[in-house]
Amino acid sequence: MLLQDYAQVIRSKNSGPFELTIDIIFKSLEDYLFFKEKQLLDTDKVATLYQMKKEDIINFEYFEAARGIKITIPRPWSQGSIGESDMHGSQQYANLLTVEVPVN
């Protein structure tokens, strides 16, 4: 199965001109707890997916009230600069769509 099979929402957005925030909201509390307890998504995995150093991840936190994970990373290019291809940061979640996870 894939992460997208467990998640109700996977999205990314600007978190200022130099950062992106990625939200993963799970379909159920059970799915959220499964991911959290098994640490199926962590900073190592995010660093690999986004080709960055683990230490460069600004924030990675599980948030039970929302049944979700919030990740904040630096933008590859500052918003609106030359070479920047996603002004709103709304397409940066795509790397997470291929994350494989064991069946719960």
Side-chain angles (χ1 to χ4, degrees):
M1 292 189 68
L2 300 173
L3 171 59
Q4 63 185 340
D5 296 319
Y6 290 93
Q8 182 174 344
V9 173
I10 302 175
R11 66 182 177 207
S12 58
K13 57 190 172 194
N14 283 339
S15 182
F18 306 109
E19 299 175 356
L20 295 167
T21 292
I22 300 163
D23 298 315
I24 303 165
I25 302 169
F26 293 95
K27 293 178 182 177
S28 69
L29 182 59
E30 179 184 37
D31 289 341
Y32 164 82
L33 293 173
F34 172 66
F35 265 75
K36 184 176 180 180
E37 290 167 6
K38 302 283 186 188
Q39 292 295 297
L40 296 174
L41 191 61
D42 59 16
T43 54
D44 289 325
K45 185 74 166 176
V46 171
T48 300
L49 287 169
Y50 287 91
Q51 301 175 1
M52 61 190 310
K53 295 177 187 172
K54 177 180 164 179
E55 300 79 36
D56 290 338
I57 296 171
I58 298 165
N59 185 49
F60 182 100
E61 69 179 291
Y62 282 87
F63 189 63
E64 189 168 333
R67 300 184 329 263
I69 301 171
K70 182 172 281 294
I71 305 162
T72 304
I73 60 174
R75 291 180 66 100
W77 292 278
S78 60
Q79 183 182 15
S81 66
I82 295 173
E84 194 269 333
S85 61
D86 185 6
M87 182 73 98
H88 301 289
S90 60
Q91 304 302 312
Q92 302 307 307
Y93 68 91
N95 296 18
L96 293 164
L97 297 177
T98 61
V99 172
E100 294 184 18
V101 296
V103 176
N104 182 2

